[in-house]
Amino acid sequence: MSGFAAWLHATAFSQTIQAVSWIVPLLQSIHILMIGIVFVSSLMISLRVLGRVHADEPFEAVWHRFAPWMRIALAVMLVTGLLLVAGEPGREFGSTSFWLKMALLLVAFAVTRQLGRSPEGPRARPAAIGVILLWIAIIFLGRAIAYDVEVWRSLSIHA
Amino acid sequence: MELAGLVQDIHDSGVGEWMRSSLKAMPVVEALHVLAATTVFGTVLLVDLRLLGIPNLKRAVSRVEGEVIRLTWIAFAVAVVTGALMFAANAQTYFINTAFRLKLLAILAAGLNMLVFETVIRRDVAAWDRGVPPPRAARIAGLLSILLWIAVIVLARWIGFTKGYDFVVPDDPNIKFDF
């Protein structure tokens, strides 16, 4: 484990998260419930760009319907995510999947923001589809953290 | 054929064997399960919130529901299939796990709630489809649905923390099983 991860792992804060049996399952449960909100909100925005849902409303109405929910759910996921990492820093920091997931999150934020600003135009449709694929990849990478060495072999930071 | 025997047979099946021995299958199946389950939850939540008048009563209930219903069903089907595959790998362990049993009961309850909503409560939907608050039965069904599906997901996570494994984890030092 890297120096920082080892230090964090040894703190009372981290030890508590690890030791109290219901904390990690609760954090993971909240994290998963939020995925439902973020993913489906993003899906609805993308489907509107593709003209498949909410055709009775302007894009702005759909954006204002779902973007706030996405923001709040993502904020909750940031908190639960940080706490989960604080509980097992070595596992996360040493996994390629984790860092790749973080990078793709930033890309997803950027694409979402751009989509919100320009829902029309030639790049809107590919962006709408692309952001959904990004979320799916992020979900898969989230699961892959537990299997990092198996998934990446020598590319895994652990290895 | 009695239940315990059936569970054993599922565990011993080729599918179960494949899920246990293929190191590639489990992570993919699990990730698909998460994707499917979160999609079920998100789409169901969308309709339930509308029944509760959140964020407003502007769009017709039948329209909100109609836009996501197919997605909900497809996602549910994927969740059931991936769930069955995970069950096959570890059948006995899941079978005796309390959280797993409660989860199945919660899904059943959620399904019953939806059935009652679709066949009974929704009959006069034209009267409250938009602009007016849905009748109390509809609002109760919506709230119950949210609570039950949250329970499903919490129980599902709890399975991971309370079940053991009924196969031998390979001794390869390069493989870290870290559920």
Side-chain angles (χ1 to χ4, degrees), chain A residues 102-134:
Chain A
M102 294 302 108
L104 289 188
L105 266 174
L106 293 176
V107 177
F109 293 161
V111 175
T112 302
R113 202 173 51 169
Q114 188 52 33
L115 203 54
R117 289 190 186 141
S118 318
E120 269 120 53
R123 281 207 279 229
R125 293 177 69 94
I129 295 169
V131 79
I132 298 308
L133 293 176
L134 275 170

Side-chain angles (χ1 to χ4, degrees), chain A residues 37-156:
Chain A
I37 294 174
V38 172
F39 183 66
V40 172
S41 295
S42 184
L43 192 60
M44 296 307 278
I45 290 170
S46 287
L47 286 173
R48 177 56 183 84
V49 170
L50 299 170
R52 302 299 210 95
V53 297
H54 287 250
D56 55 317
E57 291 188 319
F59 175 82
E60 285 67 35
V62 178
W63 178 261
H64 284 116
R65 166 73 182 85
F66 292 109
W69 285 81
M70 267 187 84
R71 256 181 238 124
I72 293 171
L74 282 167
V76 173
M77 290 183 84
L78 180 62
V79 173
T80 52
L82 282 172
L83 290 172
L84 284 167
V85 172
E88 293 173 299
R91 187 179 107 132
E92 261 76 67
F93 293 157
S95 95
T96 302
S97 304
F98 175 75
W99 293 112
L100 207 47
K101 180 182 168 188
M102 294 302 108
L104 289 188
L105 266 174
L106 293 176
V107 177
F109 293 161
V111 175
T112 302
R113 202 173 51 169
Q114 188 52 33
L115 203 54
R117 289 190 186 141
S118 318
E120 269 120 53
R123 281 207 279 229
R125 293 177 69 94
I129 295 169
V131 79
I132 298 308
L133 293 176
L134 275 170
W135 290 122
I136 293 174
I138 287 166
I139 288 171
F140 270 75
L141 285 168
R143 193 75 281 264
I145 293 171
Y147 297 89
D148 204 66
V149 175
E150 179 194 347
V151 169
W152 297 104
R153 303 237 175 104
S154 54
L155 287 172
S156 171

Side-chain angles (χ1 to χ4, degrees), chain B residues 139-175:
Chain B
R139 298 200 305 270
I140 291 174
L143 183 60
L144 198 54
S145 173
I146 295 173
L147 294 174
L148 283 169
W149 284 111
I150 289 175
V152 169
I153 286 173
V154 173
L155 286 165
R157 264 293 74 202
W158 199 254
I159 297 170
F161 285 83
T162 53
K163 77 169 182 47
Y165 302 96
D166 52 34
F167 65 94
V168 177
V169 177
D171 220 348
D172 190 326
N174 289 321
I175 297 168

